[in-house]
Coordinates of all heavy atoms in Angstrom, one line a residue:
M3 N 0.1 -7.8 -9.2 CA 0.7 -7.2 -8.0 C 1.7 -8.1 -7.4 O 1.5 -9.2 -7.2 CB -0.5 -6.9 -7.0 CG 0.0 -6.0 -5.8 SD 0.2 -4.3 -6.4 CE 1.2 -3.7 -5.0
S4 N 2.9 -7.5 -7.3 CA 4.0 -8.3 -6.8 C 4.0 -8.4 -5.3 O 3.4 -7.6 -4.5 CB 5.3 -7.6 -7.2 OG 6.4 -8.2 -6.5
I5 N 4.5 -9.5 -4.8 CA 4.6 -9.8 -3.3 C 5.9 -9.1 -2.8 O 6.2 -9.1 -1.6 CB 4.6 -11.3 -3.0 CG1 4.4 -11.6 -1.6 CG2 5.9 -11.9 -3.5 CD1 2.9 -11.5 -1.2
F6 N 6.6 -8.4 -3.7 CA 7.8 -7.7 -3.3 C 7.7 -6.2 -3.5 O 6.9 -5.8 -4.4 CB 9.0 -8.2 -4.2 CG 9.4 -9.6 -4.0 CD1 8.9 -10.5 -4.9 CD2 10.2 -10.0 -3.0 CE1 9.2 -11.9 -4.7 CE2 10.5 -11.4 -2.8 CZ 10.1 -12.3 -3.7
S7 N 8.4 -5.5 -2.7 CA 8.5 -4.0 -2.9 C 9.9 -3.6 -2.7 O 10.6 -4.3 -1.9 CB 7.6 -3.3 -2.0 OG 7.5 -1.9 -2.3
I8 N 10.4 -2.7 -3.5 CA 11.8 -2.3 -3.4 C 12.1 -1.3 -2.4 O 11.4 -0.3 -2.3 CB 12.3 -1.9 -4.8 CG1 12.3 -3.0 -5.8 CG2 13.7 -1.3 -4.7 CD1 12.8 -2.7 -7.1
A9 N 13.1 -1.5 -1.5 CA 13.6 -0.5 -0.6 C 15.1 -0.8 -0.4 O 15.5 -1.9 -0.4 CB 12.9 -0.7 0.8
D10 N 15.8 0.3 -0.4 CA 17.3 0.2 -0.2 C 17.9 -0.8 -1.3 O 18.8 -1.6 -1.0 CB 17.6 -0.4 1.2 CG 19.0 -0.2 1.5 OD1 19.7 0.6 0.9 OD2 19.5 -1.0 2.4
D11 N 17.3 -0.6 -2.5 CA 17.8 -1.4 -3.7 C 17.6 -3.0 -3.5 O 18.4 -3.7 -4.1 CB 19.3 -1.2 -4.0 CG 19.5 0.3 -4.4 OD1 18.6 0.8 -5.1 OD2 20.6 0.9 -4.1
K12 N 16.7 -3.3 -2.6 CA 16.5 -4.7 -2.4 C 15.0 -5.0 -2.7 O 14.1 -4.2 -2.3 CB 16.8 -5.2 -1.0 CG 18.3 -4.9 -0.6 CD 18.5 -5.2 0.9 CE 19.9 -4.8 1.3 NZ 20.1 -3.3 1.4
H13 N 14.7 -6.2 -3.2 CA 13.3 -6.6 -3.3 C 12.9 -7.2 -1.9 O 13.4 -8.3 -1.6 CB 13.1 -7.6 -4.4 CG 13.3 -7.1 -5.7 ND1 12.2 -6.5 -6.4 CD2 14.4 -7.0 -6.6 CE1 12.7 -6.1 -7.6 NE2 13.9 -6.3 -7.7
I14 N 12.0 -6.5 -1.2 CA 11.6 -7.0 0.1 C 10.3 -7.7 0.0 O 9.3 -7.1 -0.5 CB 11.5 -5.8 1.1 CG1 12.7 -4.8 1.0 CG2 11.2 -6.3 2.5 CD1 14.0 -5.5 1.5
P15 N 10.2 -8.9 0.5 CA 9.0 -9.6 0.5 C 8.0 -9.0 1.5 O 8.4 -8.8 2.7 CB 9.3 -11.1 0.9 CG 10.8 -11.2 0.9 CD 11.3 -9.8 1.0
L16 N 6.8 -8.6 1.1 CA 5.9 -7.9 1.9 C 5.6 -8.6 3.2 O 5.4 -8.0 4.3 CB 4.6 -7.6 1.2 CG 4.8 -6.7 -0.1 CD1 3.4 -6.5 -0.8 CD2 5.3 -5.4 0.3
Y17 N 5.6 -9.9 3.2 CA 5.2 -10.7 4.4 C 6.3 -10.7 5.4 O 6.1 -11.1 6.5 CB 4.8 -12.1 4.0 CG 5.9 -12.9 3.2 CD1 7.0 -13.5 3.8 CD2 5.8 -12.9 1.8 CE1 7.9 -14.1 3.1 CE2 6.8 -13.6 1.0 CZ 7.9 -14.2 1.7 OH 8.8 -14.8 1.0
R18 N 7.5 -10.2 5.1 CA 8.5 -10.1 6.1 C 8.5 -8.8 6.8 O 9.3 -8.6 7.8 CB 9.9 -10.3 5.4 CG 10.1 -11.7 4.9 CD 11.5 -12.1 4.9 NE 12.1 -12.0 6.2 CZ 13.4 -11.7 6.4 NH1 14.2 -11.5 5.4 NH2 13.9 -11.6 7.6
V19 N 7.7 -7.8 6.4 CA 7.7 -6.5 7.0 C 6.9 -6.5 8.3 O 5.8 -6.9 8.3 CB 7.1 -5.4 6.0 CG1 7.0 -4.1 6.7 CG2 8.0 -5.3 4.8
M20 N 7.6 -6.0 9.4 CA 6.9 -5.9 10.7 C 6.3 -4.6 10.8 O 5.2 -4.4 11.3 CB 7.9 -6.2 11.8 CG 8.7 -7.4 11.7 SD 7.7 -8.9 11.7 CE 7.2 -9.0 13.4
W21 N 7.1 -3.5 10.6 CA 6.6 -2.2 10.7 C 7.4 -1.2 9.8 O 8.5 -1.6 9.4 CB 6.5 -1.7 12.1 CG 7.7 -1.8 13.0 CD1 7.8 -2.8 14.0 CD2 8.9 -1.0 13.0 NE1 9.0 -2.6 14.6 CE2 9.7 -1.5 14.1 CE3 9.3 0.1 12.3 CZ2 10.9 -1.0 14.4 CZ3 10.5 0.7 12.6 CH2 11.3 0.1 13.6
I22 N 6.9 -0.1 9.6 CA 7.6 1.0 8.8 C 7.5 2.3 9.6 O 6.5 2.7 10.1 CB 6.9 1.2 7.5 CG1 6.9 -0.1 6.7 CG2 7.5 2.3 6.7 CD1 6.2 -0.1 5.3
A23 N 8.7 2.9 9.7 CA 8.7 4.1 10.5 C 7.8 5.2 9.9 O 7.8 5.4 8.7 CB 10.2 4.6 10.6
A24 N 7.2 6.0 10.8 CA 6.4 7.1 10.3 C 7.2 8.4 10.1 O 6.7 9.3 9.4 CB 5.2 7.3 11.3
T25 N 8.3 8.5 10.7 CA 9.1 9.7 10.6 C 10.5 9.3 10.2 O 11.0 8.2 10.5 CB 9.2 10.4 12.0 OG1 9.7 9.4 13.0 CG2 7.9 10.9 12.4
P26 N 11.2 10.1 9.5 CA 12.5 9.8 9.0 C 13.5 9.7 10.2 O 13.4 10.4 11.2 CB 12.9 11.0 8.1 CG 11.9 12.1 8.4 CD 10.7 11.4 9.0
H27 N 14.5 8.9 10.0 CA 15.5 8.7 11.0 C 16.4 9.9 11.2 O 16.8 10.6 10.3 CB 16.4 7.5 10.5 CG 17.6 7.2 11.4 ND1 17.5 6.6 12.7 CD2 18.9 7.6 11.3 CE1 18.7 6.5 13.2 NE2 19.5 7.1 12.5
F28 N 16.6 10.2 12.5 CA 17.6 11.2 12.9 C 18.2 10.8 14.2 O 17.6 10.5 15.2 CB 16.9 12.6 13.1 CG 17.8 13.6 13.6 CD1 18.7 14.2 12.8 CD2 17.9 13.9 14.9 CE1 19.6 15.2 13.3 CE2 18.7 14.9 15.5 CZ 19.6 15.5 14.6
C29 N 19.6 10.7 14.2 CA 20.3 10.4 15.4 C 21.4 11.4 15.7 O 21.9 11.3 16.8 CB 20.8 8.9 15.4 SG 22.1 8.7 14.1
G30 N 21.7 12.2 14.7 CA 22.7 13.2 15.0 C 24.2 12.7 14.8 O 25.1 13.5 15.0
E31 N 24.4 11.4 14.6 CA 25.7 10.9 14.4 C 26.3 11.4 13.1 O 25.6 11.4 12.0 CB 25.7 9.4 14.3 CG 25.1 8.7 15.5 CD 26.1 8.6 16.7 OE1 27.3 8.7 16.5 OE2 25.6 8.5 17.9
D32 N 27.6 11.8 13.1 CA 28.2 12.3 11.9 C 28.3 11.3 10.8 O 28.2 11.6 9.6 CB 29.6 12.8 12.2 CG 29.6 14.2 13.0 OD1 28.5 14.8 13.0 OD2 30.6 14.5 13.6
D33 N 28.6 10.1 11.2 CA 28.8 9.0 10.2 C 27.6 8.2 9.9 O 27.7 7.1 9.4 CB 30.0 8.1 10.6 CG 29.7 7.5 11.9 OD1 28.7 7.9 12.6 OD2 30.5 6.6 12.3
C34 N 26.4 8.7 10.2 CA 25.2 8.0 10.0 C 24.8 8.1 8.5 O 24.7 9.2 8.0 CB 24.1 8.5 10.8 SG 22.5 7.7 10.6
D35 N 24.6 6.9 7.9 CA 24.1 7.0 6.5 C 22.6 6.7 6.4 O 22.1 6.4 5.3 CB 24.9 6.3 5.5 CG 25.7 5.1 6.0 OD1 25.1 4.1 6.3 OD2 26.9 5.3 6.2
C36 N 21.9 6.7 7.4 CA 20.5 6.4 7.4 C 19.7 7.7 7.6 O 18.5 7.7 7.6 CB 20.1 5.4 8.5 SG 21.1 4.0 8.6
E37 N 20.4 8.8 7.8 CA 19.8 10.1 8.1 C 18.7 10.4 7.1 O 19.0 10.4 5.8 CB 20.9 11.1 8.1 CG 20.5 12.4 8.7 CD 20.7 12.4 10.2 OE1 21.8 12.0 10.7 OE2 19.8 12.7 11.0
G38 N 17.6 10.8 7.5 CA 16.5 11.2 6.6 C 15.8 10.0 5.9 O 14.9 10.2 5.1
K39 N 16.2 8.8 6.2 CA 15.6 7.6 5.6 C 14.6 7.0 6.6 O 14.7 7.2 7.8 CB 16.6 6.6 5.2 CG 17.5 7.0 4.0 CD 18.3 5.9 3.5 CE 19.2 6.4 2.3 NZ 20.1 5.3 1.9
Y40 N 13.7 6.2 6.1 CA 12.7 5.6 6.9 C 13.1 4.1 7.2 O 13.4 3.3 6.3 CB 11.4 5.6 6.2 CG 10.8 7.0 6.0 CD1 11.2 7.8 4.9 CD2 10.0 7.6 6.9 CE1 10.8 9.1 4.7 CE2 9.5 8.9 6.8 CZ 9.9 9.6 5.7 OH 9.4 10.9 5.5
E41 N 13.0 3.7 8.4 CA 13.4 2.4 8.8 C 12.2 1.4 8.5 O 11.0 1.7 8.8 CB 13.7 2.3 10.3 CG 14.1 0.9 10.7 CD 14.6 0.8 12.1 OE1 14.5 1.8 12.8 OE2 15.2 -0.3 12.5
I42 N 12.5 0.4 7.8 CA 11.5 -0.7 7.6 C 12.0 -1.9 8.3 O 13.1 -2.5 8.0 CB 11.4 -1.0 6.1 CG1 10.8 0.2 5.4 CG2 10.5 -2.2 5.9 CD1 10.7 0.1 3.9
R43 N 11.3 -2.3 9.3 CA 11.8 -3.4 10.2 C 11.2 -4.7 9.6 O 10.1 -4.8 9.3 CB 11.2 -3.2 11.6 CG 11.6 -4.3 12.6 CD 13.1 -4.4 12.8 NE 13.5 -3.3 13.7 CZ 14.7 -3.3 14.4 NH1 15.5 -4.4 14.3 NH2 15.0 -2.3 15.1
L44 N 12.1 -5.7 9.5 CA 11.8 -7.0 9.0 C 11.8 -8.0 10.1 O 12.3 -7.7 11.2 CB 12.7 -7.4 7.9 CG 12.9 -6.4 6.8 CD1 14.0 -6.9 5.8 CD2 11.6 -6.1 6.1
E45 N 11.3 -9.2 9.8 CA 11.4 -10.3 10.8 C 12.8 -10.5 11.2 O 13.7 -10.2 10.4 CB 10.8 -11.5 10.2 CG 9.3 -11.5 10.1 CD 8.8 -12.7 9.3 OE1 9.6 -13.4 8.6 OE2 7.6 -12.9 9.3
Q46 N 13.0 -11.2 12.3 CA 14.3 -11.6 12.8 C 15.3 -10.4 13.0 O 16.5 -10.5 12.8 CB 14.9 -12.6 11.8 CG 14.5 -14.0 12.1 CD 14.1 -14.8 10.8 OE1 14.7 -14.5 9.8 NE2 13.2 -15.7 10.9
G47 N 14.7 -9.3 13.4 CA 15.6 -8.2 13.8 C 16.3 -7.5 12.7 O 17.1 -6.6 12.9
E48 N 16.0 -7.8 11.4 CA 16.6 -7.1 10.3 C 15.9 -5.8 10.0 O 14.7 -5.7 10.4 CB 16.6 -8.0 9.1 CG 17.5 -9.2 9.1 CD 17.4 -10.0 7.8 OE1 17.7 -9.5 6.8 OE2 16.9 -11.1 7.9
A49 N 16.6 -4.9 9.4 CA 15.9 -3.7 9.0 C 16.6 -3.2 7.7 O 17.8 -3.4 7.4 CB 16.1 -2.6 10.1
V50 N 15.8 -2.5 6.9 CA 16.3 -1.8 5.8 C 15.9 -0.4 5.9 O 15.0 0.0 6.6 CB 15.8 -2.4 4.4 CG1 16.4 -3.8 4.2 CG2 14.3 -2.4 4.4
W51 N 16.6 0.5 5.1 CA 16.4 1.9 5.2 C 15.9 2.4 3.8 O 16.6 2.2 2.8 CB 17.7 2.6 5.6 CG 18.1 2.2 6.9 CD1 19.0 1.2 7.3 CD2 17.7 2.8 8.2 NE1 19.1 1.2 8.6 CE2 18.3 2.1 9.2 CE3 16.8 3.9 8.5 CZ2 18.1 2.4 10.5 CZ3 16.6 4.2 9.8 CH2 17.3 3.5 10.8
A52 N 14.7 3.0 3.8 CA 14.1 3.3 2.6 C 14.0 4.9 2.4 O 13.9 5.6 3.4 CB 12.7 2.8 2.5
S53 N 14.1 5.3 1.2 CA 13.8 6.7 0.9 C 12.3 7.0 1.0 O 11.5 6.0 1.1 CB 14.3 7.0 -0.5 OG 13.4 6.3 -1.4
G54 N 11.9 8.2 1.1 CA 10.5 8.5 1.2 C 9.7 7.9 0.1 O 8.6 7.4 0.4
V55 N 10.2 7.9 -1.1 CA 9.5 7.4 -2.2 C 9.3 5.9 -2.1 O 8.2 5.3 -2.3 CB 10.2 7.7 -3.6 CG1 9.6 7.0 -4.7 CG2 10.3 9.2 -3.8
D56 N 10.4 5.2 -1.7 CA 10.4 3.8 -1.5 C 9.4 3.4 -0.4 O 8.7 2.4 -0.4 CB 11.7 3.2 -1.2 CG 12.6 3.2 -2.5 OD1 12.1 3.3 -3.6 OD2 13.8 3.0 -2.3
R57 N 9.4 4.2 0.7 CA 8.5 3.9 1.8 C 7.1 4.0 1.4 O 6.2 3.2 1.7 CB 8.8 4.9 3.0 CG 8.0 4.6 4.2 CD 7.8 5.7 5.1 NE 7.1 6.8 4.5 CZ 6.3 7.6 5.1 NH1 6.1 7.5 6.4 NH2 5.6 8.6 4.5
D58 N 6.8 5.1 0.6 CA 5.4 5.2 0.1 C 5.0 4.1 -0.7 O 3.8 3.6 -0.6 CB 5.2 6.5 -0.7 CG 5.3 7.8 0.2 OD1 5.3 7.6 1.4 OD2 5.4 8.9 -0.3
E59 N 5.9 3.6 -1.6 CA 5.6 2.5 -2.5 C 5.3 1.2 -1.6 O 4.4 0.4 -1.9 CB 6.7 2.2 -3.4 CG 6.8 3.2 -4.6 CD 5.6 3.2 -5.4 OE1 5.1 2.1 -5.8 OE2 5.0 4.3 -5.7
M60 N 6.2 1.1 -0.6 CA 6.0 -0.1 0.3 C 4.7 -0.1 1.0 O 4.0 -1.1 1.1 CB 7.2 -0.1 1.3 CG 7.2 -1.2 2.3 SD 7.6 -2.8 1.6 CE 9.4 -2.6 1.5
L61 N 4.3 1.1 1.5 CA 3.0 1.2 2.2 C 1.9 0.9 1.3 O 0.9 0.2 1.7 CB 2.8 2.6 2.8 CG 3.6 2.9 4.1 CD1 3.5 4.4 4.4 CD2 3.1 2.1 5.2
K62 N 2.0 1.4 0.1 CA 0.9 1.2 -0.9 C 0.8 -0.3 -1.2 O -0.3 -0.9 -1.3 CB 1.2 2.0 -2.2 CG 0.1 2.8 -2.7 CD 0.4 3.5 -4.0 CE 1.4 4.6 -3.9 NZ 1.9 5.2 -5.2
A63 N 2.0 -0.9 -1.4 CA 2.0 -2.3 -1.7 C 1.4 -3.2 -0.6 O 0.6 -4.1 -0.8 CB 3.4 -2.8 -2.0
L64 N 1.7 -2.8 0.7 CA 1.2 -3.5 1.8 C -0.3 -3.4 1.9 O -1.0 -4.3 2.2 CB 1.9 -3.0 3.1 CG 3.3 -3.5 3.4 CD1 4.0 -2.7 4.4 CD2 3.2 -5.0 3.8
E65 N -0.8 -2.2 1.7 CA -2.2 -1.9 1.8 C -2.9 -2.8 0.7 O -3.9 -3.4 1.0 CB -2.6 -0.5 1.5 CG -2.6 0.4 2.7 CD -2.9 1.9 2.3 OE1 -3.7 2.1 1.5 OE2 -2.2 2.8 2.8
H66 N -2.4 -2.8 -0.5 CA -3.0 -3.6 -1.6 C -3.0 -5.1 -1.2 O -3.9 -5.8 -1.4 CB -2.1 -3.3 -2.8 CG -2.8 -3.7 -4.1 ND1 -3.5 -2.8 -4.8 CD2 -3.0 -4.9 -4.7 CE1 -4.1 -3.4 -5.8 NE2 -3.8 -4.6 -5.8
W67 N -1.8 -5.5 -0.7 CA -1.6 -6.9 -0.4 C -2.6 -7.4 0.7 O -3.1 -8.5 0.7 CB -0.2 -7.1 0.1 CG 0.2 -8.5 0.5 CD1 0.1 -9.6 -0.3 CD2 0.7 -8.9 1.7 NE1 0.5 -10.7 0.3 CE2 0.9 -10.3 1.6 CE3 1.1 -8.3 2.9 CZ2 1.5 -11.1 2.6 CZ3 1.6 -9.0 3.9 CH2 1.8 -10.4 3.8
H68 N -2.9 -6.5 1.6 CA -3.8 -6.8 2.7 C -5.3 -6.6 2.4 O -6.1 -6.6 3.3 CB -3.5 -6.0 4.0 CG -2.3 -6.6 4.8 ND1 -2.4 -7.8 5.4 CD2 -1.1 -6.2 5.0 CE1 -1.2 -8.1 6.0 NE2 -0.4 -7.1 5.7
G69 N -5.6 -6.3 1.2 CA -7.0 -6.3 0.8 C -7.5 -5.1 0.1 O -8.7 -4.9 0.0
G70 N -6.6 -4.2 -0.3 CA -7.0 -3.1 -1.2 C -7.9 -2.0 -0.5 O -7.3 -1.0 -0.1
A71 N -9.1 -2.3 -0.5 CA -10.1 -1.2 -0.1 C -9.9 -0.8 1.4 O -10.1 0.4 1.7 CB -11.5 -1.7 -0.3
E72 N -9.4 -1.7 2.2 CA -9.2 -1.4 3.6 C -8.1 -0.4 3.7 O -7.0 -0.5 3.1 CB -8.8 -2.6 4.4 CG -10.0 -3.4 4.8 CD -9.5 -4.7 5.5 OE1 -8.9 -4.6 6.5 OE2 -9.8 -5.8 4.9
T73 N -8.2 0.6 4.6 CA -7.1 1.5 4.9 C -6.6 1.2 6.3 O -7.5 0.8 7.1 CB -7.5 3.0 4.8 OG1 -8.6 3.2 5.6 CG2 -7.8 3.3 3.4
P74 N -5.4 1.3 6.6 CA -4.9 1.0 7.9 C -5.3 2.1 8.9 O -5.3 1.8 10.1 CB -3.3 1.0 7.7 CG -3.1 1.7 6.5 CD -4.3 1.6 5.6
E75 N -5.6 3.3 8.5 CA -6.0 4.3 9.4 C -7.5 4.0 9.9 O -8.3 3.6 9.2 CB -6.0 5.7 8.8 CG -4.6 6.2 8.4 CD -4.4 6.1 6.9 OE1 -5.3 6.4 6.2 OE2 -3.3 5.7 6.5
E76 N -7.6 4.3 11.2 CA -9.0 4.1 11.8 C -9.8 5.3 11.5 O -9.3 6.4 11.4 CB -8.8 3.9 13.3 CG -7.8 2.9 13.8 CD -8.3 1.5 13.7 OE1 -9.6 1.3 13.7 OE2 -7.5 0.6 13.7
D77 N -11.1 5.1 11.4 CA -12.0 6.2 11.4 C -12.5 6.5 12.8 O -13.1 5.7 13.4 CB -13.3 5.8 10.5 CG -13.0 5.9 9.1 OD1 -12.2 6.8 8.7 OD2 -13.5 5.1 8.3
W78 N -12.1 7.6 13.3 CA -12.4 8.0 14.6 C -13.7 8.8 14.6 O -13.9 9.6 13.8 CB -11.3 8.8 15.3 CG -10.1 8.0 15.5 CD1 -8.9 8.0 14.8 CD2 -9.8 6.9 16.5 NE1 -8.0 7.1 15.2 CE2 -8.5 6.5 16.3 CE3 -10.6 6.4 17.5 CZ2 -8.0 5.4 17.0 CZ3 -10.1 5.4 18.3 CH2 -8.8 4.9 18.1
Ligands
LIG110 ZN1 21.5 7.3 12.6

C-alpha cells in the first residue's frame, strides 16, 4: 500500500491531506477550471482538485492508511 495517492496528476502524500470535499466544486465563474472537481485540502493552505474517481481512490487510500477496518462514518 502506497503512502501516495494520485489527484490532479500528482502523487499526493496521504499524511499531507487535511480534508476532502464531499461535494463537487461549483462557483459559477466562467473561467473556473475546477468546476465539478473535488477539493482536496493539503497542509499549508495548498489544495489540489481531484476528479470523482481520484477522490474515491484518495478516500480509500486514507481509510486503508488509518487502519483498514475502521470506517470514518459513525454508527448512529
Ligand atoms: Zn470555481
Side-chain angles (χ1 to χ4, degrees):
M3 191 72 198
S4 172
I5 196 81
F6 297 96
S7 190
I8 292 180
D10 194 21
D11 296 327
K12 301 172 186 73
H13 290 274
I14 310 297
L16 297 178
Y17 54 82
R18 293 207 57 210
V19 175
M20 310 297 289
W21 50 256
I22 298 176
T25 53
H27 174 77
F28 173 79
C29 67
E31 303 279 339
D32 287 343
D33 57 352
C34 179
D35 25 75
C36 313
E37 198 83 54
K39 292 189 181 177
Y40 295 85
E41 184 172 9
I42 296 177
R43 177 67 72 162
L44 307 177
E45 286 173 348
Q46 275 137 32
E48 289 179 64
V50 291
W51 297 91
S53 67
V55 174
D56 286 347
R57 185 201 65 146
D58 289 349
E59 286 299 311
M60 179 73 75
L61 283 172
K62 232 185 286 173
L64 281 165
E65 272 178 43
H66 199 95
W67 180 56
H68 279 292
E72 278 173 66
T73 55
E75 292 106 40
E76 311 281 338
D77 283 325
W78 296 103

